[in-house]
Amino acid sequence: MPAFTTQLNICNLALQILGIPRITDFTSTKPGLETNACYDQLREGELQSNLWRFSTRRSMMRAISP
């Protein structure tokens, strides 16, 4: 399964699920403009609504001596 790591890939997956053709950028089509308008807000909301391991893992760090 491919990793969806870019904003364009994630938005194209969402559009594919909805049955809307893919976009190549966020400025030339209505689906591109709409996904660009809500992407950051949805991402922030998702990060705040769940406890993510990558953001809570702790590790010991050694002091850097001058």
Side-chain angles (χ1 to χ4, degrees):
M1 180 171 199
F4 296 97
T5 56
T6 66
Q7 181 178 353
L8 187 62
N9 287 341
I10 294 168
C11 291
N12 274 327
L13 178 61
L15 293 172
Q16 181 182 7
I17 291 169
L18 295 171
I20 299 172
R22 294 180 183 190
I23 58 174
T24 56
D25 61 34
F26 293 106
T27 59
S28 61
T29 62
K30 184 173 180 179
L33 291 168
E34 294 298 327
T35 54
N36 190 36
C38 67
Y39 179 82
D40 288 329
Q41 294 154 344
L42 290 171
R43 180 178 53 86
E44 287 295 322
E46 187 64 26
L47 287 172
Q48 291 175 3
S49 68
N50 294 303
L51 181 63
W52 299 95
R53 290 190 88 112
F54 74 88
S55 63
T56 59
R57 191 173 295 154
R58 295 176 185 241
S59 64
M60 295 294 289
M61 299 182 73
R62 297 177 186 231
I64 299 174
S65 56

